[in-house]
Amino acid sequence: MPNGLSGFAQWGMQQYYRYNQYPGKSNKEKQADFSYLDEPQIAAKLVDFKDDKITIITFYIPAIHCSSCIWLLENLYRLNPNVLQSRVDFMKKQASITFNHTLLPLKDLVYLLANIGYDPKITLQDVVKEGIRIT
């Protein structure tokens, strides 16, 4: 069973795989290093909202391809109770995730996504959100 949708098995949904032997994405390649997300200056440029306890961030996740992906990503709170809410925009392949950053650092949230086969694509363009000024 591929890692990308392996969460279904742990929630008793093995019958899903009866219809598609190879769904999801394999997670066998070397995992990326997300330690740069511990840098407050970088993390601050990625988040949509942050207060003393809660952070909201939107990730582009290229692996989103079906309704099962949506279900798994919108049920992240079952894998980690510090994920408070997650909503997927299927057409944009984006997930907006609300989490308790005092108990789940941003880096660990990204590792959680990567471990289930939904690596977010984080680029320099995400970090540098400054537009061109027209004067």
Side-chain angles (χ1 to χ4, degrees), residues 56-73:
I56 301 173
I57 189 164
T58 303
F59 292 115
Y60 172 65
I61 304 177
I64 297 173
H65 69 280
C66 66
S67 60
S68 299
C69 296
I70 295 169
W71 187 90
L72 185 57
L73 288 167

Side-chain angles (χ1 to χ4, degrees), residues 15-124:
Q15 294 301 318
Y16 171 81
Y17 293 99
R18 178 173 56 166
Y19 301 107
N20 189 351
Q21 190 174 0
Y22 302 106
K25 172 188 169 238
S26 176
N27 195 18
K28 292 183 181 178
E29 60 267 357
K30 184 180 174 189
Q31 193 171 40
D33 178 18
F34 298 112
S35 60
Y36 64 92
L37 294 172
D38 285 333
E39 293 296 324
Q41 300 86 356
I42 292 174
K45 292 178 180 180
L46 294 172
V47 301
D48 301 325
F49 171 82
K50 184 174 184 177
D51 66 12
D52 58 334
K53 187 176 178 183
I54 303 300
T55 296
I56 301 173
I57 189 164
T58 303
F59 292 115
Y60 172 65
I61 304 177
I64 297 173
H65 69 280
C66 66
S67 60
S68 299
C69 296
I70 295 169
W71 187 90
L72 185 57
L73 288 167
E74 289 189 349
N75 284 275
L76 284 175
Y77 67 91
R78 294 182 186 214
L79 295 175
N80 189 314
N82 296 306
V83 174
L84 306 175
Q85 180 181 30
S86 51
R87 293 287 174 245
V88 173
D89 183 330
F90 180 74
M91 297 301 289
K92 293 181 180 178
K93 295 189 175 216
Q94 292 181 339
S96 178
I97 302 170
T98 304
F99 64 101
N100 180 341
H101 63 255
T102 63
L103 299 172
L104 178 65
L106 177 59
K107 177 181 75 174
D108 293 348
L109 173 63
V110 173
Y111 278 123
L112 171 65
L113 290 167
N115 285 336
I116 62 171
Y118 294 100
D119 304 53
K121 184 173 182 183
I122 302 170
T123 64
L124 183 60

